[in-house]
């Protein structure tokens, strides 16, 4: 099973899932010898990606800052699931009809996607959700980005496993 992980997001810090959560998720995923993780993103995200895969099995690939958009599209096309916050790679994967799992805090997936029967999201339900309205960078008005921090790695891991299993068996959600 090939998972593509994208840790970045443009248009605001509030869209970012905490680095420690990514680390905890990768630690959970790394226990499965049948999974390959490919981390993608632009060069500005290289530090996060290399830290995630540091001392991990060689089957995993750090391609952050090393792909063109057509190459990224090819990688996404071969993925069994792309996991990301609200970002370009997530939307590109969904646009190509590939399975996606979006982590949403400040943005509303009903307005911004990803769209399609293979597009899935985890959304934190806080009274202030959604706060991002596309007019400015996504910054938490309270300065804490709890909406992303409250999405727990174990919850994401469980959703990944269920989604991959359903994709492989052909069952629908």
């Amino acid at each position: 099973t090939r998972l593509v992980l994208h840790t970045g997001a443009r248009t605001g810090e509030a869209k970012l899932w905490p680095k420690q959560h990514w680390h905890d998720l990768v630690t959970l995923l790394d226990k499965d010898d049948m999974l390959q993780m490919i981390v993608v993103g632009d060069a500005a995200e290289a530090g996060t990606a290399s830290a995630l895969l540091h001392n991990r099995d060689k089957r995993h690939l750090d391609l952050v800052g090393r792909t063109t958009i057509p190459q990224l599209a090819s990688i996404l096309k071969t993925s069994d699931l792309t996991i990301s916050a609200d970002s370009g790679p997530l939307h590109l994967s969904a646009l190509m009809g590939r399975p996606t799992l979006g982590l949403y805090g400040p943005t509303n997936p009903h307005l911004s996607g990803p769209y399609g029967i293979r597009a899935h999201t985890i959304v934190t339900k806080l009274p202030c959700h959604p706060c991002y309205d596309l007019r400015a960078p996504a910054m938490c008005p309270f300065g804490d980005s709890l909406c992303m921090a409250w999405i727990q790695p174990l919850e994401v891991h469980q959703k990944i496993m269920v989604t991959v299993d359903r994709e492989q068996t052909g069952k629908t959600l």
Side-chain angles (χ1 to χ4, degrees), residues 7-18 22 85-87 103-108 124 126 128-133 136-151:
T7 64
R10 299 250 190 245
T11 65
E13 295 284 320
K15 288 184 176 185
L16 296 174
W17 201 39
W22 279 112
D86 182 9
S87 69
L103 309 178
Y104 278 71
T107 53
N108 184 343
T124 303
L126 291 175
C128 55
H129 171 82
C131 65
Y132 180 54
D133 63 8
M139 301 303 287
C140 178
F142 303 108
D144 57 27
S145 298
L146 281 178
C147 55
M148 292 304 281
W150 282 11
I151 299 173

Side-chain angles (χ1 to χ4, degrees), residues 58-135:
K58 298 291 185 210
R59 73 182 181 272
H60 308 304
L61 299 173
D62 174 1
L63 298 180
V64 175
R66 300 178 188 166
T67 61
T68 63
I69 299 241
Q71 290 168 331
L72 173 62
S74 293
I75 293 163
L76 296 172
K77 191 73 172 167
T78 67
S79 173
D80 294 300
L81 182 65
T82 296
I83 303 101
S84 177
D86 182 9
S87 69
L90 179 77
H91 296 293
L92 180 57
S93 182
L95 181 66
M96 293 188 302
R98 300 304 302 154
T100 59
L101 177 57
L103 309 178
Y104 278 71
T107 53
N108 184 343
H110 297 292
L111 297 176
S112 65
Y115 302 113
I117 61 170
R118 299 172 93 186
H120 310 283
T121 57
I122 295 176
V123 181
T124 303
K125 302 292 185 198
L126 291 175
C128 55
H129 171 82
C131 65
Y132 180 54
D133 63 8
L134 303 175
R135 288 185 286 173

